[in-house]
Amino acid sequence: MAYLIDANCFIEPKNTYYTFDICPGFWDWLDEQNRVSNVYSIDKVREELMSGNDELARWAKARPHFFLPIDADTLTYVREIGAWLTSSKIYKTHVIERFMSGADPFLIAYGLAHGHTLVTHETFNENERRNIKIPAVCERFQIRYLKIFDLLRITGARLVLSR
């Protein structure tokens, strides 16, 4: 079992508390966790990250090994997720279409297909209807998910200043 990182766990740190210039240790930690086959993401997330013209896009471009390709098992679960969303009558069609056109259903489906835990900053709110959040789908399909800060603790990460 490994951990699959959502795009927001790269984008938000890059923009706020773990910028490349202030906290390179976070990015080194991601590389180390990937080296030991503990942390990955998927190629659809990489595409999202590389759509920018910034340091995060360059980081993602330099690490194709970090981002796993979508396989046939994943595509089966993507269809299952889409079918559940449509049949659930919880979300409007345009909300489902927007969700299904992004990386999130593929990330969730990859987790389902391969028994991985998802890592996201999104939170579960059973009353949310305007956007489909990863935790809502994880709850339905019984996929474990957690926040990046929890993963830092689980892996024993220590982002300390050098002397």
Side-chain angles (χ1 to χ4, degrees), residues 4-93:
L4 294 177
I5 310 289
D6 183 19
N8 64 23
C9 291
F10 297 106
I11 296 167
E12 187 176 325
K14 184 266 303 182
N15 289 336
T16 56
Y17 43 83
Y18 293 147
T19 60
F20 284 94
D21 61 332
I22 294 172
C23 195
F26 174 75
W27 306 95
D28 293 343
W29 168 79
L30 284 172
D31 285 336
E32 177 58 29
Q33 290 302 306
N34 179 255
R35 260 192 298 284
V36 297
S37 303
N38 197 34
V39 169
Y40 297 95
S41 194
I42 60 167
D43 59 1
K44 296 247 182 226
V45 168
R46 183 175 187 240
E47 290 169 16
E48 285 184 7
L49 301 179
M50 289 180 19
S51 68
N53 185 21
D54 60 10
E55 198 165 8
L56 182 55
R58 290 186 290 281
W59 183 90
K61 185 176 184 179
R63 290 162 177 79
H65 60 277
F66 197 105
F67 301 90
L68 302 168
I70 300 304
D71 57 16
D73 291 338
T74 300
L75 292 176
T76 298
Y77 282 111
V78 168
R79 287 188 290 276
E80 191 173 321
I81 290 166
W84 170 71
L85 288 169
T86 302
S87 68
S88 72
K89 307 289 189 219
I90 296 170
Y91 304 100
K92 293 185 178 187
T93 303

Side-chain angles (χ1 to χ4, degrees), residues 121-137:
H121 282 303
E122 294 179 3
T123 56
F124 179 65
N125 176 353
E126 64 182 282
N127 297 317
E128 172 66 46
R129 300 291 180 259
R130 292 171 294 165
N131 294 299
I132 300 169
K133 301 290 187 180
I134 288 173
V137 181

Side-chain angles (χ1 to χ4, degrees), residues 113-153:
H114 300 282
H116 299 318
T117 298
L118 273 62
V119 182
T120 183
H121 282 303
E122 294 179 3
T123 56
F124 179 65
N125 176 353
E126 64 182 282
N127 297 317
E128 172 66 46
R129 300 291 180 259
R130 292 171 294 165
N131 294 299
I132 300 169
K133 301 290 187 180
I134 288 173
V137 181
C138 286
E139 291 285 334
R140 162 58 179 89
F141 287 92
Q142 299 179 337
I143 304 170
R144 188 167 174 239
Y145 64 94
L146 46 83
K147 298 215 178 280
I148 193 77
F149 303 113
D150 296 322
L151 184 56
L152 284 160
R153 285 184 186 96

